[in-house]
Amino acid sequence: MGVSSEEALFLENEAFCEEVSDKSETEKKPLEFISSGNLEIDKKLEGGIPAGSLCLLEGAKGSGKSIFMQQIMLGALNQDKKVLSLTTEKTSRNLLNNMESLNQDISDYFIIGRSKIFEINASYVEENPELSNNLLERMLKCVNDCDEELILIDSLTILAVSASENTLLNFFRECVKLCDKGKTILISVHGYAFSQEVLYRLRSVCDSCLELRIEQVGDKLIKTMEIQKLRGARKTTGNMLSFDVNSECGLKIIPVSKVKA
């Protein structure tokens, strides 16, 4: 029995669709990660920070946000990636000296231009809070125009508390678009500076959310990190890890047995 021209066309289209579907499956790339350079941290993060994602680091002063960012910076540079750090917390010299003191020396990468540090004068922003909206827009343009794959913003708090809510949310949404183009962006904020409603909305925009805290266990003060949300995670997030800052190796994981001891 012969096949009509309409049936032939249908079968041809069906075969084409199956071919395209097969190609998309074979060409699908595995999720890439930016390693922290610390095997224990990467294990908790199921490989590291997902490349092409927007990650929010939330925590109080002294909870370890900057140290964690420095760890990710070092890991990315060791993976031959380019890194841009936008900082309101330190000068470039202070940041380089601090990393060197923690055995995370990146001065060679800085000299050859693989790592760039842009300083944002926090005291100037405090004196002129009306400039925050404009500075957030300029920061977006900087991230869009740069050729670095990893962008670290530590911290956004000084700008975010003075900016309008719409400008702040738009900033995060535009960061998501930049991540879709291949950028990986980590933003640290002090959680107490925002209302719960704003924080909830910021978390919902981000691909990954890590909360860092200082907790008292017995007579000890320890730093903890809770993985609240992680893009591509195979298991339920909420994993906790405890860490300390060690001059020999930077960020050092504290085993649960020692925390409880």
Side-chain angles (χ1 to χ4, degrees), residues 1 8 20 30 48 68 92 107 110 126 151 156-157 178 181 203 212 223 229 252:
M1 184 176 180
V20 171
F68 182 79
S92 56
S107 55
F110 184 75
E126 285 178 327
I151 293 88
L156 194 69
T157 302
L178 292 172
K181 295 178 181 179
R203 290 169 184 161
L212 290 88
K223 293 179 174 64
K229 180 181 178 183
K252 182 180 180 181

Side-chain angles (χ1 to χ4, degrees), residues 66-104:
S66 295
I67 297 296
F68 182 79
M69 280 204 167
Q70 290 170 194
Q71 189 77 47
I72 296 296
M73 182 192 295
L74 180 64
L77 290 169
N78 287 337
Q79 284 181 286
D80 295 328
K81 296 188 180 298
K82 295 180 180 180
V83 182
L84 170 63
S85 177
L86 302 171
T87 175
T88 63
E89 300 282 311
K90 298 178 177 70
T91 65
S92 56
R93 181 179 293 276
N94 286 341
L95 178 57
L96 291 170
N97 288 343
N98 187 49
M99 292 188 71
E100 184 178 0
S101 70
L102 296 174
N103 200 27
Q104 298 176 329

Side-chain angles (χ1 to χ4, degrees), residues 82-83 107-116 147-148:
K82 295 180 180 180
V83 182
S107 55
D108 287 344
Y109 292 122
F110 184 75
I111 291 170
I112 64 175
R114 284 264 310 284
S115 174
K116 295 179 183 177
D147 61 355
E148 282 77 21

Side-chain angles (χ1 to χ4, degrees), residues 161-201:
V161 294
S162 302
S164 68
E165 185 175 321
N166 285 339
T167 300
L168 180 60
L169 290 171
N170 182 66
F171 176 85
F172 274 77
R173 293 189 189 104
E174 290 300 316
C175 283
V176 171
K177 294 178 183 178
L178 292 172
C179 290
D180 289 340
K181 295 178 181 179
K183 305 285 187 184
T184 304
I185 305 175
L186 274 70
I187 301 175
S188 74
V189 298
H190 296 77
Y192 59 77
F194 307 93
S195 67
Q196 283 302 310
E197 181 182 355
V198 172
L199 261 181
Y200 177 79
R201 296 180 72 179

Side-chain angles (χ1 to χ4, degrees), residues 15 24 37 40 42 49 79 88 119 127 137-138 148 170 178 191-192 199 207 211 217 219 238:
S24 65
E40 294 175 278
D42 286 350
I49 299 295
Q79 284 181 286
T88 63
E119 305 166 20
E127 294 169 3
E137 291 176 6
R138 287 179 176 271
E148 282 77 21
N170 182 66
L178 292 172
Y192 59 77
L199 261 181
D207 300 296
E211 183 177 2
V217 179
D219 59 349

